[in-house]
Amino acid sequence: MMNERPIVSAVGLFKKFNLKTPLDANEWNAEEKDGVYRSFVSYNGHVVDDGCVHIFAQFIRPVGEGKKPVILFLPDVEQDVDEELISFFTSRGYAMLIPDYRGFGENENIQAHHTMYPGSLDHGNYVCARGI
């Protein structure tokens, strides 16, 4: 019988989130193009004995002053982000946070373009979980 491990989802990673954990948020590669501001962000998530989940996300918003309503957009794990959908929401004044919860790959670089899971949560990494 295979060793069954629970599926880790974007929601599950925060179930036991310790509010005292520093977010250690970073933002880089910010650019404005065609009235849309895009950047990459990373921040700390769930902490376990062998490390911390480092969450990678894209942050996208219409250019302009003032607060914007934000959509937490969770694309299908096997699909790339739909640019048409991004255009639809940003043209209507919405910002979007698009976290990568599938975690393609493992890398010590905090600014990698995927969420990084510690070994005990490597089943949260879609590629590891699927054996790809």
Side-chain angles (χ1 to χ4, degrees):
M1 186 169 156
M2 237 173 126
N3 182 10
E4 299 279 331
R5 291 196 267 181
I7 294 173
V8 177
S9 69
V11 174
L13 288 173
F14 284 96
K15 260 188 170 173
K16 298 177 183 175
F17 185 72
N18 181 343
L19 297 177
K20 294 180 181 174
T21 300
L23 283 179
D24 193 25
N26 295 288
E27 181 180 26
W28 70 100
N29 286 359
E31 68 177 18
E32 284 185 24
K33 184 178 177 185
D34 300 326
V36 176
Y37 173 89
R38 292 174 178 251
S39 66
F40 295 131
V41 297
S42 64
Y43 48 96
N44 289 333
H46 190 62
V47 177
V48 291
D49 290 340
D50 61 338
C52 174
V53 176
H54 296 287
I55 299 167
F56 164 80
Q58 292 183 63
F59 180 65
I60 303 168
R61 67 170 171 77
V63 172
E65 297 297 317
K67 294 181 180 181
K68 312 279 188 238
V70 178
I71 295 171
L72 177 60
F73 184 73
L74 303 173
D76 186 291
V77 71
E78 292 185 334
Q79 301 294 318
D80 289 328
V81 176
D82 184 339
E83 289 296 324
E84 188 176 344
L85 199 54
I86 289 171
S87 293
F88 175 83
F89 286 114
T90 56
S91 69
R92 286 160 177 78
Y94 290 92
M96 300 176 77
L97 181 65
I98 308 170
D100 166 60
Y101 54 93
R102 56 190 179 177
F104 282 4
E106 185 173 317
N107 188 327
E108 294 300 317
N109 179 359
I110 187 68
Q111 295 187 347
H113 292 188
H114 57 268
T115 295
M116 295 172 283
Y117 297 93
S120 65
L121 293 176
D122 67 353
H123 53 284
N125 179 316
Y126 179 72
V127 173
C128 290
R130 296 264 326 236
I132 298 172

